[in-house]
Amino acid sequence: MAITRIGGANAISGTIPAANIATLTSSNLPTGSVIQVKRNYVADSGNIQTSSTSFAASGIQQSITPTASGNLILVDFNSTMTDVTSTDRVGLGKMYFKIGSGSFTAMTGSNNYHLGYFHQAKNRYIGATFAGSYTTTSTDTLTFEPYMKSNNSSSTFRLVHEDTSYALTVTE
């Protein structure tokens, strides 16, 4: 497509090359290029909670099918408000993932404070955040999901409090 602008010192003319999207692959894009973005966003959620003292699935998932082995996947999660019921109780969260039809497992380096430290008497109603990455080993679909637990079965940990939002975004 030819472009022309008439206007003295700011005159522009030239041709914008046509891109052939069908020929773009992760191997011929410049380093650092974004290939795809997948996002699970809920603007007005109900409670997503557990009283389990073992890590339990949150039900918040996002999948992505990598275009090539060796590509970097950025994983970002945000919940605008958490909550722990009962004084001196703690809620914990970790990011888990699975490859293809495999089982969910905690991401490498996921300690007890992977998504944050949530304490009823110290930081009640604080948000939860995670920013991590994974390097693909195949082109099998990856599914990411935050897991959560309470440190006491008489307490409830809400990874997402009612009437708040959450987002799980994966970028290749």
Side-chain angles (χ1 to χ4, degrees), residues 1-17:
M1 160 190 355
I3 59 170
T4 304
R5 177 173 179 220
I6 302 171
N10 294 322
I12 299 171
S13 67
T15 302
I16 298 174

Side-chain angles (χ1 to χ4, degrees), residues 26 36 64-74 97 99 133-142 144 171-172:
S26 59
Q36 59 178 321
I64 191 167
T65 303
T67 59
S69 180
N71 284 359
L72 183 67
I73 304 293
L74 302 178
F97 79 107
I99 301 171
S133 63
Y134 175 78
T135 301
T136 62
T137 56
S138 70
T139 57
D140 290 337
T141 298
L142 299 168
F144 296 89
T171 304
E172 180 181 20

Side-chain angles (χ1 to χ4, degrees), residues 3-63:
I3 59 170
T4 304
R5 177 173 179 220
I6 302 171
N10 294 322
I12 299 171
S13 67
T15 302
I16 298 174
N20 185 350
I21 301 298
T23 63
L24 295 178
T25 67
S26 59
S27 63
N28 66 12
L29 289 172
T31 301
S33 295
V34 172
I35 298 170
Q36 59 178 321
V37 177
K38 304 288 184 171
R39 183 173 189 147
N40 178 351
Y41 169 70
V42 173
D44 188 11
S45 179
N47 288 328
I48 298 175
Q49 62 190 26
T50 189
S51 294
S52 174
T53 56
S54 299
F55 280 100
S58 67
I60 301 168
Q61 293 186 353
Q62 185 56 61
S63 297

